[in-house]
PDB file of all heavy atoms in Angstrom:
ATOM      1  N   ARG A  22       5.007 -14.999  14.547  1.00 92.00           N
ATOM      2  CA  ARG A  22       4.890 -14.386  13.210  1.00 92.00           C
ATOM      3  C   ARG A  22       3.429 -14.180  12.840  1.00 92.00           C
ATOM      4  O   ARG A  22       3.047 -13.116  12.345  1.00 92.00           O
ATOM      5  CB  ARG A  22       5.587 -15.261  12.162  1.00 92.00           C
ATOM      6  CG  ARG A  22       7.096 -15.391  12.333  1.00 92.00           C
ATOM      7  CD  ARG A  22       7.758 -15.943  11.074  1.00 92.00           C
ATOM      8  NE  ARG A  22       7.181 -17.215  10.635  1.00 92.00           N
ATOM      9  CZ  ARG A  22       7.560 -18.410  11.071  1.00 92.00           C
ATOM     10  NH1 ARG A  22       8.509 -18.495  11.996  1.00 92.00           N
ATOM     11  NH2 ARG A  22       7.010 -19.522  10.598  1.00 92.00           N
ATOM     12  N   THR A  42      11.890 -16.876   9.135  1.00 92.00           N
ATOM     13  CA  THR A  42      12.167 -17.703  10.308  1.00 92.00           C
ATOM     14  C   THR A  42      13.561 -17.451  10.865  1.00 92.00           C
ATOM     15  O   THR A  42      13.830 -17.824  12.016  1.00 92.00           O
ATOM     16  CB  THR A  42      12.035 -19.192   9.961  1.00 92.00           C
ATOM     17  OG1 THR A  42      12.944 -19.498   8.893  1.00 92.00           O
ATOM     18  CG2 THR A  42      10.612 -19.509   9.526  1.00 92.00           C
ATOM     19  N   GLU A  43      14.439 -16.845  10.062  1.00 91.00           N
ATOM     20  CA  GLU A  43      15.809 -16.571  10.516  1.00 91.00           C
ATOM     21  C   GLU A  43      16.434 -15.507   9.607  1.00 91.00           C
ATOM     22  O   GLU A  43      15.884 -15.166   8.552  1.00 91.00           O
ATOM     23  CB  GLU A  43      16.647 -17.855  10.558  1.00 91.00           C
ATOM     24  CG  GLU A  43      16.456 -18.792   9.388  1.00 91.00           C
ATOM     25  CD  GLU A  43      17.288 -18.407   8.188  1.00 91.00           C
ATOM     26  OE1 GLU A  43      18.249 -17.629   8.357  1.00 91.00           O
ATOM     27  OE2 GLU A  43      16.984 -18.867   7.088  1.00 91.00           O
ATOM     28  N   ARG A  52      16.338  -8.087  -0.157  1.00 90.00           N
ATOM     29  CA  ARG A  52      16.882  -7.868  -1.500  1.00 90.00           C
ATOM     30  C   ARG A  52      15.794  -7.435  -2.475  1.00 90.00           C
ATOM     31  O   ARG A  52      16.050  -6.681  -3.420  1.00 90.00           O
ATOM     32  CB  ARG A  52      17.538  -9.152  -2.019  1.00 90.00           C
ATOM     33  CG  ARG A  52      18.879  -9.483  -1.369  1.00 90.00           C
ATOM     34  CD  ARG A  52      19.626 -10.522  -2.185  1.00 90.00           C
ATOM     35  NE  ARG A  52      20.881 -10.891  -1.556  1.00 90.00           N
ATOM     36  CZ  ARG A  52      21.089 -12.027  -0.902  1.00 90.00           C
ATOM     37  NH1 ARG A  52      20.097 -12.930  -0.807  1.00 90.00           N
ATOM     38  NH2 ARG A  52      22.261 -12.289  -0.364  1.00 90.00           N
ATOM     39  N   ILE A  87      13.435  -4.855  18.613  1.00 93.00           N
ATOM     40  CA  ILE A  87      13.768  -6.171  19.140  1.00 93.00           C
ATOM     41  C   ILE A  87      12.587  -6.694  19.967  1.00 93.00           C
ATOM     42  O   ILE A  87      12.067  -5.986  20.834  1.00 93.00           O
ATOM     43  CB  ILE A  87      15.025  -6.122  20.028  1.00 93.00           C
ATOM     44  CG1 ILE A  87      16.262  -5.785  19.185  1.00 93.00           C
ATOM     45  CG2 ILE A  87      15.222  -7.436  20.777  1.00 93.00           C
ATOM     46  CD1 ILE A  87      16.740  -6.890  18.281  1.00 93.00           C
ATOM     47  N   GLU A 104      23.068  -0.652  22.065  1.00 84.00           N
ATOM     48  CA  GLU A 104      24.338  -0.155  21.542  1.00 84.00           C
ATOM     49  C   GLU A 104      24.482  -0.440  20.057  1.00 84.00           C
ATOM     50  O   GLU A 104      25.073   0.349  19.314  1.00 84.00           O
ATOM     51  CB  GLU A 104      25.502  -0.792  22.309  1.00 84.00           C
ATOM     52  CG  GLU A 104      25.613  -0.298  23.745  1.00 84.00           C
ATOM     53  CD  GLU A 104      26.634  -1.066  24.556  1.00 84.00           C
ATOM     54  OE1 GLU A 104      27.240  -2.015  23.989  1.00 84.00           O
ATOM     55  OE2 GLU A 104      26.825  -0.738  25.736  1.00 84.00           O
ATOM     56  N   PHE A 129       3.084  -2.364  20.462  1.00 90.00           N
ATOM     57  CA  PHE A 129       3.729  -2.769  19.211  1.00 90.00           C
ATOM     58  C   PHE A 129       3.450  -1.763  18.097  1.00 90.00           C
ATOM     59  O   PHE A 129       4.346  -1.400  17.328  1.00 90.00           O
ATOM     60  CB  PHE A 129       3.249  -4.160  18.790  1.00 90.00           C
ATOM     61  CG  PHE A 129       3.987  -5.283  19.450  1.00 90.00           C
ATOM     62  CD1 PHE A 129       3.438  -5.943  20.542  1.00 90.00           C
ATOM     63  CD2 PHE A 129       5.230  -5.675  19.001  1.00 90.00           C
ATOM     64  CE1 PHE A 129       4.119  -6.970  21.160  1.00 90.00           C
ATOM     65  CE2 PHE A 129       5.923  -6.708  19.616  1.00 90.00           C
ATOM     66  CZ  PHE A 129       5.363  -7.353  20.701  1.00 90.00           C
ATOM     67  N   ALA A 139      12.136   7.186  13.023  1.00 87.00           N
ATOM     68  CA  ALA A 139      13.468   7.365  13.608  1.00 87.00           C
ATOM     69  C   ALA A 139      14.493   7.692  12.520  1.00 87.00           C
ATOM     70  O   ALA A 139      14.499   7.090  11.451  1.00 87.00           O
ATOM     71  CB  ALA A 139      13.884   6.119  14.367  1.00 87.00           C
ATOM     72  N   GLN A 147      24.899  10.257  17.447  1.00 53.00           N
ATOM     73  CA  GLN A 147      24.851  10.410  18.898  1.00 53.00           C
ATOM     74  C   GLN A 147      25.689   9.349  19.588  1.00 53.00           C
ATOM     75  O   GLN A 147      26.411   9.617  20.532  1.00 53.00           O
ATOM     76  CB  GLN A 147      23.397  10.313  19.387  1.00 53.00           C
ATOM     77  CG  GLN A 147      22.554  11.525  19.031  1.00 53.00           C
ATOM     78  CD  GLN A 147      21.133  11.370  19.490  1.00 53.00           C
ATOM     79  OE1 GLN A 147      20.805  10.456  20.219  1.00 53.00           O
ATOM     80  NE2 GLN A 147      20.265  12.266  19.057  1.00 53.00           N
ATOM     81  N   ALA A 152      31.820  12.131  24.627  1.00 46.00           N
ATOM     82  CA  ALA A 152      31.192  12.859  25.728  1.00 46.00           C
ATOM     83  C   ALA A 152      32.083  14.019  26.144  1.00 46.00           C
ATOM     84  O   ALA A 152      33.294  13.894  26.230  1.00 46.00           O
ATOM     85  CB  ALA A 152      30.973  11.924  26.914  1.00 46.00           C
ATOM     86  N   LYS A 166      23.868  30.476  46.321  1.00 30.00           N
ATOM     87  CA  LYS A 166      23.327  30.353  47.666  1.00 30.00           C
ATOM     88  C   LYS A 166      21.812  30.180  47.688  1.00 30.00           C
ATOM     89  O   LYS A 166      21.232  30.006  48.744  1.00 30.00           O
ATOM     90  CB  LYS A 166      23.697  31.603  48.475  1.00 30.00           C
ATOM     91  CG  LYS A 166      25.202  31.757  48.688  1.00 30.00           C
ATOM     92  CD  LYS A 166      25.512  33.037  49.423  1.00 30.00           C
ATOM     93  CE  LYS A 166      27.015  33.225  49.615  1.00 30.00           C
ATOM     94  NZ  LYS A 166      27.342  34.494  50.271  1.00 30.00           N
ATOM     95  N   ASN A 207      12.168  -4.160  34.531  1.00 80.00           N
ATOM     96  CA  ASN A 207      13.419  -4.934  34.469  1.00 80.00           C
ATOM     97  C   ASN A 207      14.501  -4.270  33.627  1.00 80.00           C
ATOM     98  O   ASN A 207      15.687  -4.461  33.869  1.00 80.00           O
ATOM     99  CB  ASN A 207      13.197  -6.365  33.947  1.00 80.00           C
ATOM    100  CG  ASN A 207      12.240  -7.166  34.799  1.00 80.00           C
ATOM    101  OD1 ASN A 207      12.236  -7.013  36.012  1.00 80.00           O
ATOM    102  ND2 ASN A 207      11.427  -8.005  34.171  1.00 80.00           N
ATOM    103  N   ALA A 241      13.295   6.495  36.793  1.00 97.00           N
ATOM    104  CA  ALA A 241      12.048   5.848  37.215  1.00 97.00           C
ATOM    105  C   ALA A 241      12.047   4.382  36.811  1.00 97.00           C
ATOM    106  O   ALA A 241      12.409   4.035  35.686  1.00 97.00           O
ATOM    107  CB  ALA A 241      10.854   6.562  36.580  1.00 97.00           C
ATOM    108  N   SER A 272       5.135   7.739  33.356  1.00 96.00           N
ATOM    109  CA  SER A 272       4.741   8.832  32.479  1.00 96.00           C
ATOM    110  C   SER A 272       5.556  10.084  32.788  1.00 96.00           C
ATOM    111  O   SER A 272       5.766  10.423  33.952  1.00 96.00           O
ATOM    112  CB  SER A 272       3.250   9.140  32.661  1.00 96.00           C
ATOM    113  OG  SER A 272       2.920  10.405  32.115  1.00 96.00           O
ATOM    114  N   LEU A 284       8.467  21.612  43.179  1.00 93.00           N
ATOM    115  CA  LEU A 284       9.724  22.323  42.916  1.00 93.00           C
ATOM    116  C   LEU A 284       9.494  23.772  42.532  1.00 93.00           C
ATOM    117  O   LEU A 284      10.283  24.646  42.872  1.00 93.00           O
ATOM    118  CB  LEU A 284      10.508  21.615  41.792  1.00 93.00           C
ATOM    119  CG  LEU A 284      10.960  20.182  42.041  1.00 93.00           C
ATOM    120  CD1 LEU A 284      11.654  19.629  40.796  1.00 93.00           C
ATOM    121  CD2 LEU A 284      11.888  20.107  43.236  1.00 93.00           C
ATOM    122  N   ALA A 302       2.115  18.562  28.454  1.00 96.00           N
ATOM    123  CA  ALA A 302       1.263  19.280  29.409  1.00 96.00           C
ATOM    124  C   ALA A 302       1.986  19.480  30.746  1.00 96.00           C
ATOM    125  O   ALA A 302       1.884  20.539  31.368  1.00 96.00           O
ATOM    126  CB  ALA A 302      -0.043  18.517  29.620  1.00 96.00           C
ATOM    127  N   ALA A 310       4.738  27.358  36.568  1.00 94.00           N
ATOM    128  CA  ALA A 310       5.091  27.427  37.988  1.00 94.00           C
ATOM    129  C   ALA A 310       6.408  28.161  38.216  1.00 94.00           C
ATOM    130  O   ALA A 310       6.862  28.272  39.354  1.00 94.00           O
ATOM    131  CB  ALA A 310       5.180  26.020  38.575  1.00 94.00           C
ATOM    132  N   GLY A 311       7.030  28.649  37.128  1.00 94.00           N
ATOM    133  CA  GLY A 311       8.251  29.434  37.266  1.00 94.00           C
ATOM    134  C   GLY A 311       9.528  28.705  36.908  1.00 94.00           C
ATOM    135  O   GLY A 311      10.621  29.278  37.017  1.00 94.00           O
TER     136      GLY A 311
END
Side-chain angles (χ1 to χ4, degrees):
R22 295 195 305 273
T42 58
E43 42 83 18
R52 286 196 182 104
I87 293 288
E104 290 172 359
F129 276 100
Q147 288 178 10
K166 296 177 181 177
N207 301 324
S272 164
L284 298 177

